[in-house]
Amino acid sequence: MTTATGRTTPPSTIIAAFTGFLVSCVFAATSVGVLVGTHDDLVEALRASGTTMTEEQLQSAATITQVTFASFALVIALVQLWLAFKLRSGRNWARVLLTVFTVFQVASLFVGEGSATLPAYGGALVAALAVVASYLPASNTYFETVKRAG
């Protein structure tokens, strides 16, 4: 586990978790792409809600909603990506934060009356598996080794 340079190399469980979080970020980007493709559906949902907005206001509201959610998803994906690199370098706090993010990611699937996309479900599943990998015995040993070395 320690190389000739004195650095501790991550075990396969950490590499698997790191890869899982990278894949989850790709799923998040894909979800944003799917969201952009639902502009007309969002306008129709707003129209069906009985609003008194004009067509221009409906279009603007749908666009603002999409940009807001896409921006939020992008920021979360970038933070998750950064945390994945910290996880790979043995930072236990990153593992804890990734666990919290994943809990929120899974919980978000159950909010919004079935509005989650297939990529959102895929990303949450992969992130949950990555969290599990990050808590396996080899991973725990790695975090302890890094803590003692640093």
Side-chain angles (χ1 to χ4, degrees), residues 10-33:
S12 60
T13 55
I14 291 297
I15 299 301
F18 173 74
T19 304
F21 287 119
L22 293 183
V23 169
S24 182
C25 288
V26 170
F27 274 110
T30 304
S31 286
V32 170

Side-chain angles (χ1 to χ4, degrees), residues 128-142:
L129 293 172
V131 166
V132 170
S134 73
Y135 283 94
L136 292 174
S139 298
N140 293 333
T141 301
Y142 173 66

Side-chain angles (χ1 to χ4, degrees), residues 25 73-85 97-98 101:
C25 288
L74 181 63
V75 168
I76 288 174
L78 290 174
V79 170
Q80 186 180 27
L81 182 65
W82 175 72
L83 288 171
F85 279 95
L97 286 174
L98 283 165
F101 270 58

Side-chain angles (χ1 to χ4, degrees), residues 8-134:
T8 304
T9 58
S12 60
T13 55
I14 291 297
I15 299 301
F18 173 74
T19 304
F21 287 119
L22 293 183
V23 169
S24 182
C25 288
V26 170
F27 274 110
T30 304
S31 286
V32 170
V34 169
L35 176 66
V36 169
T38 62
H39 186 270
D40 293 338
D41 294 336
L42 189 53
V43 169
E44 283 304 314
L46 287 170
R47 191 176 288 123
S49 70
T51 183
T52 58
M53 287 193 264
T54 65
E55 185 62 29
E56 183 177 308
Q57 290 172 326
L58 286 171
Q59 295 290 334
S60 292
T63 301
I64 289 169
T65 300
Q66 286 182 307
V67 168
T68 301
F69 281 111
S71 300
F72 187 65
L74 181 63
V75 168
I76 288 174
L78 290 174
V79 170
Q80 186 180 27
L81 182 65
W82 175 72
L83 288 171
F85 279 95
K86 292 299 181 182
L87 172 88
R88 189 179 68 175
S89 68
R91 304 298 184 259
N92 190 51
W93 56 265
R95 175 171 66 165
V96 172
L97 286 174
L98 283 165
T99 303
V100 171
F101 270 58
T102 302
V103 167
F104 284 127
Q105 186 177 1
V106 170
S108 74
L109 298 175
F110 302 103
V111 177
E113 300 174 17
S115 61
T117 62
L118 190 58
Y121 282 106
L125 175 64
V126 171
L129 293 172
V131 166
V132 170
S134 73

